[in-house]
Amino acid sequence: MAHWTQDFADYLAQHHQERPGITEEVLGRSLAGHHTPYTWLARAVSGRALTVLDIGCGSGAMSRYLARPGRVIIGLDLSGSELHAAAQRGPGPWVRADARQLPFADESVDAVVSSLGLAVIHPLEAWLGEVRRVLKPGGLLAALTPTVAPMSPADTRVAMHLFRTLRMAPVFPVGIELASGPVLAESGLRKIEDNRERYRFVVRSHADADLLLSALYLPGIADRRLDRATSWLARGVSREGEVRIPIPMRRIVAMKPTE
Ligand SMILES: C[S@@+](CC[C@H](N)C(=O)[O-])C[C@H]1O[C@@H](n2cnc3c(N)ncnc32)[C@H](O)[C@@H]1O
């Protein structure tokens, strides 16, 4: 397990070094009605939160969704390439550091957000303990994490077909059906919300298919499987005009107790 985790950490570092901004390109176009997962995450943060830390910020999407006068949004990530992309898009501050050792003082931030950090940053207890340390009492952690529901029967058919064509599902080191209450409680955080929403990324072209597939964590996948998946998506586009890929998400919100 430890070996696999280190392998995955290396894979993750390379994935983000080669494709900075790729997560934002896909999630920024994944919609439920008119909103993206980032809009939903930003809504969990109180207007009174003036110092917000975005953990695993990638290319800094959340800093744009959270921007408001008087608020500082600190983006933190391990990947230099992602932070370089973030710095070209927004003012920061951008901090290159490990979420498991946050370079901030105790009780120094009003809110923490993390889009996909719960599924990716391992081990959870290490960085959730750090989140608890840097949050002010009463401060919130709001996180998005991929999940398996809700999905309509049509969504399930599309997802299953895609994974069969790839011969694997995207890999997340922490697992995607997190028992959030106990995990948060172990780190001294109290869960106050755990909701689900289904987004869809619509593939209308070969370029869309390539974008989607290159955003997924598919360690070790053979090129021929990626080609088969691209061809399958392309056939769907020529038959129906588009293929709607379901992206179910969970929004988990927790509070640092005041005592
Ligand atoms: C799936 S991406 C999400 C990026 C961004 N939050 C978004 O949704 O657009 C996960 C990010 O977590 C970062 N990451 C992984 N492990 C980390 C760690 N230990 N500390 C800080 N960032 C980490 C990766 O470099 C990557 O940018």
Side-chain angles (χ1 to χ4, degrees):
M1 177 68 185
H3 175 65
W4 184 82
T5 300
Q6 185 51 49
D7 282 353
F8 191 85
D10 294 344
Y11 168 83
L12 197 71
Q14 190 176 349
H15 180 97
H16 287 283
Q17 185 185 330
E18 288 171 358
R19 302 158 208 199
I22 189 85
T23 311
E24 180 176 359
E25 282 188 67
V26 171
L27 286 192
R29 281 180 46 188
S30 299
L31 296 174
H34 293 294
H35 76 269
T36 71
Y38 298 127
T39 323
W40 192 36
L41 183 57
R43 281 187 195 146
V45 177
S46 153
R48 290 193 299 276
L50 294 182
T51 309
V52 182
L53 172 62
D54 179 10
I55 292 190
C57 66
S59 52
M62 283 310 297
S63 71
R64 290 177 279 289
Y65 283 80
L66 285 166
R68 60 169 58 207
R71 176 181 277 170
V72 176
I73 303 136
I74 305 162
L76 176 139
D77 204 285
L78 260 188
S79 165
S81 306
E82 290 285 7
L83 290 171
H84 181 71
Q88 290 176 325
R89 298 172 197 200
W94 308 110
V95 177
R96 188 170 188 187
D98 192 322
R100 296 164 293 191
Q101 274 188 300
L102 293 176
F104 305 113
D106 296 359
E107 303 188 356
S108 57
V109 305
D110 298 309
V112 174
V113 294
S114 186
S115 165
L116 307 192
L118 284 179
V120 168
I121 305 176
H122 182 84
L124 272 182
E125 315 77 55
W127 72 275
L128 290 178
E130 281 290 87
V131 168
R132 183 184 193 284
R133 181 181 67 74
V134 301
L135 270 178
K136 293 178 187 169
L140 290 191
L141 163 70
L144 279 183
T145 194
T147 184
V148 293
M151 287 220 243
S152 68
D155 290 331
T156 307
R157 270 196 303 280
V158 171
M160 288 299 145
H161 205 119
L162 180 62
F163 300 159
R164 262 203 311 275
T165 312
L166 291 167
R167 297 242 185 106
M168 69 188 292
V171 174
F172 293 99
V174 184
I176 65 170
E177 272 306 313
L178 179 75
S180 60
V183 171
L184 292 161
E186 261 175 47
S187 304
L189 296 165
R190 192 162 67 234
K191 182 171 84 169
I192 56 177
E193 185 202 297
D194 188 346
N195 279 317
R196 289 161 191 263
E197 179 77 273
R198 194 262 339 279
Y199 295 84
R200 287 199 182 99
F201 178 86
V202 182
V203 176
R204 294 195 178 91
S205 65
H206 206 287
D208 291 345
D210 279 345
L211 176 67
L212 173 75
L213 293 170
S214 39
L216 301 177
Y217 294 143
L218 301 167
I221 191 149
D223 284 347
R224 67 175 186 287
R225 292 197 187 150
L226 288 171
D227 292 345
R228 274 178 33 188
T230 311
S231 307
W232 174 69
L233 288 166
R235 282 197 302 279
V237 170
S238 44
R239 212 174 39 244
E240 317 274 350
E242 61 182 34
V243 181
R244 302 165 127 225
I245 305 293
I247 316 256
M249 285 282 183
R250 256 164 106 185
R251 185 177 78 173
I252 295 171
V253 182
M255 188 178 74
K256 173 170 171 171
T258 45
E259 54 183 49

